[in-house]
Amino acid sequence: MKVRDIIKAIQELNPGDKHRLRAYLIDSLTASSSTGNVLDEISERKNKEGYHCPHCESEHIVQNGKYTTLVDGEEVEKQRYLCKACKKTFTDFTNTTLYRTRHLNKWVKFVECMIDGYSLRKAAELMNGNNSDDDSDDISYVTLFYWRHKLLSSLNKMEISDFQGIVEMDETYFLYSQKGSRHIKDREPRERGGAAKKRGISNEQVCVLVARDRDKMTFSQALGMGRLTKEQLDKAIGHKLSIKNVLCTDSWRAFKTYAAEKGMVIHQFKSDGKIRTRGIYHIQNVNSYHSRLKGWIQRFKGVATKYLNIYLTWFQVLEAIHHQRNDVNIKDLIIKGNLIPNFETYDTLRLSRLTM
């Protein structure tokens, strides 16, 4: 069969078969992002300065046998360690995102689905396959929900660098949501997000601050209910700013008060859009980020407020890699997400509350 015949046959496939073919080709051609390679690199980078006990930080570590896990479809032996100080055992993945994960061989595929923006149900379908009669190794979309939140909760802990030069800042608002809660007090449940009862900005809405410098260093975080205050601003990113930075913001007074107290230069732009730039000073980059964020988050038909910072981190990660799925990005996300201690469990994630 000639290449043009293969291309024609592919074009005639239905969308579902095209997705499955795409997944198969990626699995076949991207050996460099195999699970085994990723796990080995996590181990090397975690232990680059020697072994440390994750329980007591002692350096008195000895090898303590091996355990078997499934990697790339094959059983592989991995090292177990013993701390001579506290007498506890651990592995390279203790207190990480991958800790106690039963399906290590499916994480590469899962991160691919996250970058592609698939729903949890669609990701489960693609990861499990539709042609297998053996469902003993299938993974549920509920499990993928916890995988997603464990990975993003680790990435959310990564510190950003200090801002350089011009820093654009602007706040945007999301309606407070208790999506997923079975017993909502004080109001009737909303249909697909719903609308606020009060007009304008009120305590029904969550303030999300986005700050970006011209090198695209980005901060995004939910800071509180209602309007932004200078105290919230200082607590969130004051340690990342200096008098050398020039602020570009909207006309909200909290920005002006903060800049005056810190002795910083500030350029403010009213929301009526009559004056959008003053030479190189503007807030177009941060406003564009807001627009892309709101458009992306609409696919979830409402996000529970207690998980909002997790989704902000997810979008921030996708923006940093330009929404491109390739070996380097997949590998990098898994590795970074497992170099930061993670003590989250299914219960702590499910019962979590928004802290601001």
Side-chain angles (χ1 to χ4, degrees):
M1 181 179 288
K2 296 181 179 180
V3 173
R4 64 171 176 268
D5 296 326
I6 296 175
I7 295 174
K8 184 178 179 181
I10 292 173
Q11 291 172 339
E12 294 174 353
L13 295 174
N14 62 49
D17 288 337
K18 286 180 179 178
H19 280 306
R20 283 186 285 277
L21 177 60
R22 181 187 184 203
Y24 171 78
L25 291 174
I26 290 171
D27 283 344
S28 301
L29 299 175
T30 57
S32 63
S33 63
S34 67
T35 310
N37 291 340
V38 173
L39 297 182
D40 290 341
E41 187 156 346
I42 292 172
S43 176
E44 289 182 2
R45 291 180 62 175
K46 277 195 68 176
N47 301 315
K48 64 182 180 181
E49 296 179 358
Y51 294 112
H52 291 80
C53 175
H55 306 292
C56 69
E57 294 298 320
S58 171
E59 299 180 7
H60 299 289
I61 308 300
V62 294
Q63 294 182 348
N64 187 46
K66 296 187 177 182
Y67 66 100
T68 302
T69 187
L70 190 66
V71 176
D72 298 331
E74 298 181 0
E75 288 190 349
V76 175
E77 290 187 336
K78 306 295 288 185
Q79 187 65 54
R80 183 183 284 110
Y81 309 96
L82 171 68
C83 174
K84 298 181 71 175
C86 67
K87 307 302 182 184
K88 293 183 179 180
T89 62
F90 62 93
T91 72
D92 290 322
F93 308 104
T94 298
N95 297 340
T96 70
T97 300
L98 293 177
Y99 184 45
R100 291 181 175 172
T101 297
R102 295 176 55 192
H103 303 272
L104 286 173
N105 56 314
K106 294 192 175 185
W107 265 85
V108 170
K109 174 64 68 179
F110 173 62
V111 173
E112 290 177 6
C113 292
M114 280 188 65
I115 295 175
D116 283 338
Y118 290 135
S119 68
L120 294 171
R121 292 179 186 272
K122 184 63 179 179
E125 178 186 327
L126 292 173
M127 292 169 66
N128 294 328
N130 294 327
N131 300 320
S132 174
D133 296 328
D134 180 16
D135 60 357
S136 61
D137 196 41
D138 280 2
I139 189 164
S140 74
Y141 69 90
V142 177
T143 297
L144 297 187
F145 171 84
Y146 290 111
W147 282 15
R148 173 195 288 177
H149 282 252
K150 284 186 72 175
L151 177 62
L152 292 175
S153 66
S154 289
L155 295 173
N156 188 44
K157 296 174 185 175
M158 294 179 61
E159 277 288 327
I160 65 169
S161 302
D162 292 350
F163 289 110
Q164 303 296 320
I166 298 171
V167 182
E168 300 179 32
M169 290 193 289
D170 197 3
E171 77 276 29
T172 188
Y173 293 87
F174 291 85
L175 187 62
Y176 181 78
S177 171
Q178 292 175 274
K179 180 180 178 180
S181 299
R182 296 186 179 182
H183 305 288
I184 298 177
K185 299 178 181 179
D186 304 324
R187 66 169 175 82
E188 292 295 319
R190 302 192 192 101
E191 289 289 335
R192 295 189 178 276
K197 291 183 178 180
K198 301 176 183 178
R199 297 179 62 184
I201 306 302
S202 69
N203 58 5
E204 292 182 82
Q205 295 171 308
V206 183
C207 174
V208 171
L209 175 68
V210 177
R212 304 190 89 193
D213 63 19
R214 296 298 165 81
D215 289 328
K216 302 299 188 278
M217 179 62 65
T218 304
F219 168 91
S220 61
Q221 185 175 305
L223 299 188
M225 308 300 295
R227 284 288 190 180
L228 174 71
T229 67
K230 66 179 179 63
E231 289 79 15
Q232 291 171 332
L233 176 60
D234 188 41
K235 181 180 178 181
I237 60 172
H239 59 295
K240 298 296 180 183
L241 296 168
S242 74
I243 197 171
K244 296 180 180 179
N245 294 120
V246 176
L247 304 184
C248 294
T249 73
D250 67 5
S251 57
W252 179 237
R253 60 178 177 268
F255 292 119
K256 185 176 181 179
T257 304
Y258 175 81
E261 288 186 359
K262 300 296 182 179
M264 302 175 69
V265 176
I266 185 171
H267 297 268
Q268 292 191 288
F269 302 87
K270 293 184 178 180
S271 58
D272 58 19
K274 292 181 179 179
I275 300 176
R276 298 188 177 184
T277 65
R278 296 190 184 99
I280 60 174
Y281 303 110
H282 56 77
I283 55 173
Q284 293 177 353
N285 289 320
V286 75
N287 284 339
S288 178
Y289 188 95
H290 282 175
S291 179
R292 296 194 301 275
L293 171 63
K294 290 290 185 75
W296 175 82
I297 217 163
Q298 281 180 357
R299 71 181 64 191
F300 303 106
K301 298 179 175 60
V303 171
T305 297
K306 66 179 182 179
Y307 296 135
L308 183 55
N309 279 327
I310 294 292
Y311 284 81
L312 294 176
T313 296
W314 186 0
F315 183 73
Q316 196 170 319
V317 167
L318 293 179
E319 286 281 296
I321 64 174
H322 306 291
H323 299 257
Q324 294 181 359
R325 175 168 64 84
N326 55 47
D327 290 349
V328 174
N329 290 339
I330 293 167
K331 194 173 180 180
D332 193 49
L333 287 182
I334 298 176
I335 292 171
K336 285 181 177 178
N338 283 277
L339 295 180
I340 299 171
N342 188 317
F343 302 94
E344 299 287 3
T345 65
Y346 288 2
D347 285 339
T348 61
L349 289 170
R350 181 172 57 85
L351 301 175
S352 64
R353 296 176 179 272
L354 179 67
T355 57
M356 295 181 290

